[in-house]
């Protein structure tokens, strides 16, 4: 049937050439197909970044016609570079009013130092290589995670959407997201296959790559509860339960350990949280001096509602609608349900984590990258028109994100 469809004529070469291309593609191992998809996606992203550079205006923080190397080292990449070159401050920087200002303690060490090692001292080159390689390996891990759930073809389309998605520029800049997503996808695959021992090595690396390991601790707890409830249908050996509890405890300890390390080095028990809260002063004139769970999203909803000319209470309505909508998608959407309980539990855990600890602003789009497994739901429909249309939408959103965050790059609307 596929060959008859391909030989029906049309643009793109003769029937024989198209049949040969289809057969050659079918003979390639999955890793080879993913490598081709990933390479083509990176060429497209590079082209979009070059186009963005040509359109860059003086008001942009990158100035006129910046190089791709400047984009690699832009925004938060500067903080990772600083950590690799200078380490972490033993004395917290403060404003004249005594408030802690933005500093390196907000950025975990694994990506920063790994990029320096890989680049043999050239941090920018190392960061680019780490992000590129981690992105390709993440594509392989995503396919492995999704294939048993939605089939090999749909999983391959999920890789296409991921590699070409709105945040695809992160595969080519000095951010830790792609490395964290790689580790996360491997960890989810191990947990779903009940291969728990390897997670003892993976969890600390995840925890010191990027914030989010506390969400994984919550996921492990929910994963254990689900396995307990299903124990009559799916055997639950005692050793598995012991592993789940121990790994949840390890993830929790790792998640809070960075606060302890920052406190010991600086002598300030609240060093890490004060550092994280310092970024909120870019938006709020009266931020709370202490961290309070979920306050960031509540204040953020009020802030953005008033920024858009609406009363603050309308922001609360929007926030409630957002939470209810996400819950309904995770609980009821058929395509999402096909992904299985572990992916949905992780997604719920990470969304709850974001709601608890972050202030919503333009960087929130980047912070959604750990929800990558949900891209499998977008690949479930089999319509060729739908899939190619979704790819086009991904590319359009990718261009928009790159142009706004790296081309315009001026205000809090444009921080990746």
């Amino acid at each position: 049937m596929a060959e008859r469809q391909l030989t029906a004529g049309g643009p793109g070469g003769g029937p024989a050439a198209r049949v040969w291309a289809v057969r050659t593609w079918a003979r390639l191992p999955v890793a080879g197909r993913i490598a081709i998809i990933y390479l083509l996606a990176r060429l497209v992203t590079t082209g979009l970044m070059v186009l963005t550079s040509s359109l860059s205006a003086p008001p942009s923080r990158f100035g006129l016609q910046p190089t791709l190397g400047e984009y690699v080292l832009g925004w938060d990449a500067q903080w990772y570079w600083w950590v690799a070159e200078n380490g972490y401050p033993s004395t917290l920087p403060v404003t004249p009013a005594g408030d802690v200002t933005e500093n390196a303690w907000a950025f975990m060490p694994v990506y920063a130092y790994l990029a320096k090692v890989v680049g043999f001292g050239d941090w920018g080159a190392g960061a680019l290589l780490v992000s590129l390689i981690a992105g390709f390996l993440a594509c392989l891990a995503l396919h492995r995670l999704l294939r048993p759930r939605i089939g090999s073809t749909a999983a391959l389309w999920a890789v296409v959407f991921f590699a070409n998605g709105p945040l695809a520029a992160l595969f080519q800049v000095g951010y830790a997201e792609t490395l964290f997503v790689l580790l996360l996808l491997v960890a989810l695959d191990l947990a779903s296959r009940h291969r728990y021992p390897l997670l003892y090595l993976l969890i600390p690396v995840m925890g010191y790559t990027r914030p989010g390991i506390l969400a994984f601790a919550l996921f492990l707890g929910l994963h254990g509860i689900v396995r307990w409830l299903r124990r009559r249908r799916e055997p639950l050996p005692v050793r598995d339960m012991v592993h789940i509890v121990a790994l949840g405890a390890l993830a929790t300890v790792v998640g809070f350990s960075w606060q302890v390390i920052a406190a010991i080095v600086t002598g300030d028990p609240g060093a890490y949280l004060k550092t994280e809260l310092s970024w909120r002063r870019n938006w709020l004139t009266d931020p709370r001096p202490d961290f309070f769970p979920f306050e960031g999203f509540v204040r953020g909803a009020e802030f953005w509602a008033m920024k858009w000319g609406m009363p603050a209470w309308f922001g609360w309505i929007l926030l409630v609608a957002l939470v209810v909508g996400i819950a309904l998608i995770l609980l009821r959407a058929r395509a999402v349900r096909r992904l299985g309980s572990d992916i949905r539990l992780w997604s719920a855990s990470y969304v709850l984590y974001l709601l608890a600890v972050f202030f919503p602003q333009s960087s929130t789009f980047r912070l959604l990258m750990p929800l990558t497994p949900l891209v499998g739901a977008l690949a479930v429909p089999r319509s060729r028109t739908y899939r190619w249309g979704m790819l086009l939408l991904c590319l359009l959103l990718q261009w928009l994100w790159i142009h706004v965050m790296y081309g315009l790059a001026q205000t809090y609307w444009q921080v990746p």
Side-chain angles (χ1 to χ4, degrees), residues 96-112:
D99 297 318
V100 174
T101 63
E102 300 168 356
N103 65 82
W105 282 108
F107 300 89
M108 303 300 180
V110 168
Y111 181 85

Side-chain angles (χ1 to χ4, degrees), residues 39-359:
L39 175 60
L40 293 175
R42 301 287 60 77
L43 291 174
V44 169
T45 298
T46 300
L48 294 177
M49 295 178 81
V50 169
L51 177 59
T52 294
S53 173
S54 69
L55 298 174
S56 186
S60 167
R61 68 180 289 146
F62 293 99
L64 284 171
Q65 296 186 332
T67 65
L68 295 184
E70 289 178 276
Y71 284 158
V72 171
L73 294 171
W75 294 111
D76 285 357
Q78 285 289 301
W79 285 110
Y80 287 110
W81 168 83
W82 177 268
V83 168
E85 296 298 325
N86 302 287
Y88 294 91
S90 57
T91 301
L92 294 174
V94 296
T95 66
D99 297 318
V100 174
T101 63
E102 300 168 356
N103 65 82
W105 282 108
F107 300 89
M108 303 300 180
V110 168
Y111 181 85
Y113 290 114
L114 180 61
K116 185 175 183 178
V117 171
V118 170
F120 295 99
D122 185 338
W123 192 88
L128 178 60
L129 284 173
V130 170
S131 292
L132 281 171
I133 295 170
F136 171 62
L137 296 177
C139 288
L140 295 176
L142 179 64
H143 187 274
R144 176 179 170 84
L145 177 67
L146 294 178
R147 183 180 57 198
R149 296 165 169 81
I150 60 176
S152 183
T153 300
L156 201 61
W157 273 101
V159 170
V160 171
F161 298 153
F162 174 51
N164 293 279
L167 300 173
L170 292 173
F171 294 114
Q172 298 177 216
V173 295
Y175 273 72
E177 263 67 20
T178 51
L179 180 58
F180 182 83
V181 168
L182 166 62
L183 298 170
L184 170 67
L185 293 172
V186 173
L188 289 174
D189 186 61
L190 290 172
S192 66
R193 296 173 188 269
H194 306 161
R195 297 176 61 183
Y196 300 113
L198 291 174
L199 288 174
Y200 289 102
L201 300 175
L202 205 57
I203 283 175
V205 181
M206 289 173 62
Y208 296 122
T209 297
R210 179 190 175 281
I213 196 63
L214 289 175
F216 196 76
L218 175 58
F219 157 73
L220 287 170
L222 297 174
H223 169 81
I225 292 172
V226 169
R227 287 207 64 190
W228 174 262
L229 294 175
R230 295 176 176 175
R231 67 190 183 279
R232 297 184 184 278
R233 291 174 291 160
E234 302 172 10
L236 176 59
V238 173
R239 67 177 180 276
D240 281 7
M241 206 64 218
V242 171
H243 280 313
I244 293 170
V245 173
L247 288 167
L250 174 64
T252 302
V253 170
V254 170
F256 285 107
S257 66
W258 192 242
Q259 297 182 39
V260 176
I261 294 170
I264 293 173
V265 172
T266 63
D268 186 335
Y272 175 71
L273 292 179
K274 290 177 182 178
T275 297
E276 289 288 2
L277 290 174
S278 68
W279 263 267
R280 294 188 188 179
R281 282 195 293 275
N282 294 326
W283 289 271
L284 300 176
T285 57
D286 59 338
R288 288 174 58 102
D290 302 311
F291 172 76
F292 190 78
F294 301 101
E295 187 234 359
F297 254 86
V298 173
R299 292 291 305 276
E302 297 171 350
F303 171 84
W304 290 111
M306 291 187 291
K307 191 73 176 177
W308 296 330
M310 298 176 286
W313 57 263
F314 192 77
W316 305 338
I317 295 176
L318 291 177
L319 180 58
V320 171
L322 175 66
V323 173
V324 172
I326 292 173
L328 288 175
I329 289 172
L330 294 178
L331 291 172
R332 305 299 298 272
R334 183 177 300 178
V336 175
R337 290 175 64 87
R338 282 195 58 181
L339 301 180
S341 62
D342 283 331
I343 289 177
R344 290 191 294 147
L345 290 175
W346 158 253
S347 302
S349 299
Y350 186 69
V351 169
L352 184 63
Y353 170 77
L354 286 182
L355 291 171
V357 303
F358 283 103
F359 179 92

